Amino acid sequence: MAIKHYLQVSDLTLDEYDYLMQRARIIKDRFKKYEPYHPLLDRTLVMVFEKNSTRTRLSFEAGMHQLGGAAIYLNTRDSQLGRGEPVEDAGQVMSRMCDIIMIRTFEQEMIEKFAANSRVPVINGLTNQHHPCQVFADVFTFIEHRGSIAGKKVAWIGDANNMLYSWMQAAKVFGFHLHISTPKGYDIDPACVTVEAEHYTVFDNPSNACVGVDAVNTDVWTSMGYEAENQARLKAFDGWIVDEAKMARANPDAIFMHCLPAHRGEEVSAGVIDGSQSVVWDEAENRLHVQKALLEYLVIGKVDN
């Protein structure tokens, strides 16, 4: 199989996602039954981190071991990348020593350059512009709880960040409609939009964005790399908390989603994130299962067992 990278949601087709969803369900079921499954025996994943992580490192590292392979952690501070080695050179060298690479970094341009010089698949574990693995897990979680997401409505309340841009691509791929509400000054960057306007609607009022939706999604108000803006963001985002009143405007069976970590009392109330409509813990766990399916597919292709 030709090398395929996963750098943003749009890198895979709906048919590929349908296959991967099926594989994730099978792999998750085996995991729950404690059935060993080692399709990546003697294969190696290299994980390159420039940003801190909990769920990304744990899900990829545990997932690769559970598939029978090995995972190697590299922090850019402790590697030659941190001393100015060109990304292109690092891609050439690392890809000669492993079977697949996951990178969690700042700029999308960095991971694009790396992938262009890699002999093995590269996965985006997060950049400032995209977070495809998280949104893949989120869509999988929605389907687990509510069935097909096609034709449904999903609200995004908060910053125009990497999660939003990945959700926008997912809306096009999976055929749902996205309601977007961002505070003034933190709205969509047209340069980051890669889908047609028919796939989303922008609302000035976050409560109105929640009307009639099947899922409400948010994220922390201050993402990694923007800590210096925290006080300004707290002021600008006043009123954008996802609370019980906003959830009441969604459909009665709507679910609440959050990629975590969460700040109760800021972007979400404790009553919502810890309430009966919240699926955040399933989202977090499902990072493990969808990424195992992704690792399997990118390294060895489709399987039927």
Side-chain angles (χ1 to χ4, degrees):
M1 186 176 72
I3 294 174
K4 178 179 282 292
H5 304 297
Y6 189 57
L7 308 184
Q8 49 189 307
V9 169
S10 60
D11 284 342
L12 297 178
T13 66
L14 181 59
D15 285 345
E16 287 176 304
Y17 278 114
D18 286 344
Y19 166 78
L20 287 168
M21 296 285 182
Q22 178 187 13
R23 289 303 302 163
R25 284 190 289 271
I26 292 170
I27 289 170
K28 182 175 182 177
D29 184 60
R30 284 175 166 159
F31 175 80
K32 297 295 185 180
K33 293 178 179 177
Y34 297 95
E35 294 180 3
Y37 179 59
H38 299 149
L40 300 188
L41 185 67
D42 203 32
R43 303 297 183 99
T44 303
L45 164 70
V46 169
M47 307 181 299
V48 181
F49 285 87
E50 193 171 14
K51 282 190 171 187
N52 295 333
S53 171
T54 299
R55 281 153 291 276
T56 297
R57 178 177 178 181
L58 182 59
S59 55
F60 271 107
E61 190 164 346
M64 193 63 180
H65 283 299
Q66 290 165 15
L67 293 174
I72 298 173
Y73 172 85
L74 287 179
N75 191 294
T76 53
R77 294 189 301 270
D78 306 322
S79 69
Q80 296 298 334
L81 274 171
R83 299 181 64 246
E85 181 175 21
V87 170
E88 295 86 347
D89 292 1
Q92 290 278 357
V93 172
M94 290 184 192
S95 65
R96 289 170 180 253
M97 299 183 182
C98 65
D99 301 280
I100 189 165
I101 298 168
M102 186 280 299
I103 302 177
R104 184 178 174 91
T105 187
F106 289 91
E107 294 304 321
Q108 185 76 10
E109 182 183 8
M110 182 273 198
I111 202 169
E112 298 279 356
K113 287 181 179 179
F114 194 103
N117 288 274
S118 175
R119 294 185 171 198
V120 300
V122 176
I123 297 174
N124 181 356
L126 176 143
T127 63
N128 287 349
Q129 291 76 34
H130 297 282
H131 200 355
C133 291
Q134 180 65 58
V135 172
F136 181 7
D138 291 352
V139 173
F140 179 80
T141 303
F142 183 96
I143 293 171
E144 273 192 325
H145 284 266
R146 295 292 184 264
S148 174
I149 197 170
K152 300 296 177 64
K153 295 178 181 178
V154 176
W156 175 266
I157 310 299
D159 196 7
N161 62 9
N162 50 9
M163 283 292 297
L164 172 57
Y165 297 126
S166 288
W167 268 107
M168 292 175 78
Q169 290 190 356
K172 180 176 181 178
V173 172
F174 292 97
F176 61 88
H177 196 81
L178 195 63
H179 288 193
I180 301 169
S181 184
T182 61
K184 291 182 179 178
Y186 299 91
D187 38 21
I188 296 170
D189 179 357
C192 295
V193 177
T194 59
V195 303
E196 298 80 9
E198 66 193 68
H199 299 290
Y200 62 93
T201 303
V202 177
F203 295 79
D204 292 332
N205 186 316
S207 293
N208 292 342
C210 296
V211 174
V213 300
D214 302 286
V216 179
N217 206 321
T218 192
D219 194 2
V220 294
W221 289 344
T222 305
S223 298
M224 283 181 290
Y226 299 94
E227 289 81 3
E229 304 175 9
N230 187 55
Q231 290 305 312
R233 284 173 173 261
L234 289 177
K235 183 177 180 180
F237 284 66
D238 184 37
W240 261 259
I241 184 173
V242 177
D243 54 17
E244 289 83 346
K246 290 186 180 65
M247 288 301 299
R249 305 199 74 184
N251 288 336
D253 63 345
I255 59 176
F256 171 75
M257 312 184 87
H258 193 306
C259 60
L260 303 179
H263 296 157
R264 289 166 176 80
E266 288 187 13
E267 76 275 4
V268 61
S269 69
V272 169
I273 193 171
D274 299 319
S276 60
Q277 291 174 280
S278 175
V279 297
V280 299
W281 314 122
D282 291 337
E283 284 180 81
E285 178 190 339
N286 282 334
R287 287 286 302 276
L288 173 70
H289 307 303
V290 301
Q291 286 165 192
K292 286 166 72 174
L294 186 63
L295 288 166
E296 177 188 67
Y297 177 61
L298 295 180
V299 174
I300 62 176
K302 288 186 175 182
V303 298
D304 57 6
N305 61 319

